[in-house]
Amino acid sequence: MALDERKLEVLRAIVEDYVATQEPVGSKALVERHNLRVSPATVRNDMAVLEDEGYIRQPHTSAGRVPTDAGYRLFVDKLSRVKPLSQAERRAIERFLIGAVDLDDVVHRTVRLLAQLTRQVAVVQYPSLSRASVRHFELVPISTTRLMVVMIAETGRVEQRLVDLPGPILADEVTELRRNINEKLVGKRLVDTPPLVQALVEESAPSLRPPMAALSTVLLETLVERTEERIALAGTANLARGGLLDFQGSLRPILEALEEEVILLKLFGEVEPSMTRVRIGDENEIEDLRGTSIVATGYGPGSIVVGGMGVLGPTRMDYPGNIATVRAVARYVGDMLAQS
């Protein structure tokens, strides 16, 4: 049945009180703490309907009610208002991230910041080279027969390789090789570069084909073969901060699932642009994580998503606050990548 506005307000009040107090919520407390403008008897009737419909439950006899996964889902979809961050919170995010010295530092600062702000487990995927494009190539002569190849991705990630050439090379020839490589590859997605690298060899002047052939092997290693994905994790101790009802049973299966990078990449790395995904309880595909909720979003320069980030915690979490924080931090990191 469709719930009327009053019953939806009662559900909102139950969710907000339970998240704040960690205690099952009774009708008397709702009337006292919220301006529902109805009697406790009416609230009890509304709670009975919400329980019949599966949005709240009674954890034990003579207790108040707590939200179910379906209740949290309705709250997130219909009732929650994403909390705007305060100026102080925004300044704190900016100050914490602005001092990062390189991409690794950005990721580590971001995951620590998310864990501190949300008091949940935070997960940040390192920018994925498979989604990135080439920003610039540099060739640095080490000797007449050795070059250092430096590839800078649009994410700010830097890859370096040494290449031994089949013979001595002049400075002007290095300049021409650098120009040809950048003209062919800059702006292209790394996954689309293999045929372009092969074309570089075929299109080179005869005198430059031997060094370009040597370079092509290293270019392919740099652009394509480094496909490993990495995850940064922080705040696992926050799982132990909750109440008795947060996790039925042991935390051990959850902690073991968090150790599997493949699981975390599936949960946090498969996020579409400009989308915040919330998975609640049984909506999680991973059985050991069905007592948790996940808030995840993508990040990257502009409209390009190069990785995912988010938080994991009990279903009794501050959804509006966590959604706002994850979105804000992702936006700041994306801006930093765009400017780097």
Side-chain angles (χ1 to χ4, degrees):
M1 63 177 283
L3 298 179
D4 60 37
E5 287 301 315
R6 193 184 67 226
K7 292 181 181 63
L8 289 173
E9 283 301 310
V10 170
L11 177 61
R12 185 206 303 276
I14 292 171
V15 171
E16 291 176 350
D17 275 15
Y18 182 56
V19 168
T21 68
Q22 303 185 28
E23 297 290 339
V25 183
S27 57
K28 183 178 178 183
L30 288 179
V31 173
E32 290 174 352
R33 284 198 286 255
H34 298 269
N35 184 27
L36 298 176
R37 299 181 300 277
V38 293
S39 68
T42 301
V43 172
R44 281 195 295 273
N45 289 335
D46 289 342
M47 291 174 72
V49 173
L50 290 169
E51 189 168 8
D52 288 343
E53 293 297 309
Y55 295 115
I56 60 175
R57 65 182 177 86
Q58 189 175 30
H60 49 81
T61 307
S62 302
R65 304 301 191 273
V66 300
T68 63
D69 290 354
Y72 285 123
R73 171 51 63 192
L74 187 60
F75 174 80
V76 169
D77 290 346
K78 280 193 170 186
L79 301 174
S80 64
R81 306 180 184 97
V82 175
K83 298 176 184 174
L85 297 186
S86 67
Q87 284 298 323
E89 289 171 319
R90 292 183 181 279
R91 282 195 299 271
I93 293 172
E94 191 170 1
R95 278 199 305 269
F96 195 79
L97 294 179
I98 203 71
V101 296
D102 57 23
L103 188 61
D104 278 350
D105 198 16
V106 169
V107 171
H108 286 294
R109 283 172 180 255
T110 300
V111 77
R112 292 202 312 273
L113 178 65
L114 273 176
Q116 290 169 11
L117 291 176
T118 64
R119 304 176 85 181
Q120 308 293 344
V121 180
V123 177
V124 177
Q125 179 190 13
Y126 278 77
S128 172
L129 276 180
S130 64
R131 304 186 193 186
S133 298
V134 177
R135 178 179 293 175
H136 182 69
F137 265 99
E138 190 57 57
L139 300 182
V140 182
I142 305 299
S143 69
T144 58
T145 58
R146 174 174 276 199
L147 297 176
M148 176 181 286
V149 180
V150 182
M151 189 277 292
I152 305 172
E154 65 179 355
T155 61
R157 187 160 170 178
V158 178
E159 297 287 332
Q160 299 179 354
R161 292 285 192 284
L162 290 175
V163 55
D164 291 310
L165 304 175
I169 191 169
L170 301 174
D172 288 348
E173 292 175 318
V174 174
T175 300
E176 187 172 351
L177 288 170
R178 181 190 300 118
R179 183 178 62 250
N180 292 345
I181 291 171
N182 278 291
E183 285 179 356
K184 180 70 76 172
L185 300 180
V186 166
K188 301 297 190 296
R189 292 197 314 148
L190 273 64
V191 293
D192 298 331
T193 55
L196 301 177
V197 172
Q198 182 58 39
L200 276 169
V201 178
E202 296 168 356
E203 295 168 9
S204 293
S207 62
L208 290 180
R209 279 184 190 168
M212 184 62 86
L215 276 168
S216 69
T217 301
V218 174
L219 289 175
L220 288 173
E221 289 176 357
T222 306
L223 293 163
V224 180
E225 293 184 7
R226 288 181 63 90
T227 57
E228 80 277 10
E229 303 285 4
R230 290 193 292 155
I231 286 284
L233 189 71
T236 51
N238 287 330
L239 290 172
R241 294 177 54 257
L244 293 174
L245 295 177
D246 279 348
F247 302 108
Q248 301 299 318
S250 170
L251 279 175
R252 184 174 176 177
I254 298 172
L255 295 173
E256 289 177 347
L258 291 176
E259 291 179 357
E260 298 292 335
E261 286 207 350
V262 173
I263 290 176
L264 295 179
L265 284 166
K266 184 172 184 61
L267 295 174
F268 292 92
E270 300 174 359
V271 188
E272 296 301 316
S274 304
M275 183 186 88
T276 303
R277 184 174 61 203
V278 180
R279 285 180 175 167
I280 299 170
D282 284 340
E283 295 172 1
N284 288 304
E285 297 174 16
I286 311 302
E287 185 173 351
D288 288 339
L289 296 179
R290 286 180 181 163
T292 70
S293 284
I294 292 162
V295 178
T297 193
Y299 73 93
S303 61
I304 301 167
V305 172
V306 297
M309 68 170 67
V311 296
L312 176 148
T315 54
R316 183 194 58 82
M317 67 161 59
D318 175 13
Y319 292 97
N322 289 343
I323 291 169
T325 300
V326 169
R327 284 179 180 173
V329 172
R331 189 164 57 248
Y332 274 102
V333 175
D335 289 345
M336 290 179 67
L337 294 178
Q339 295 163 14
S340 64

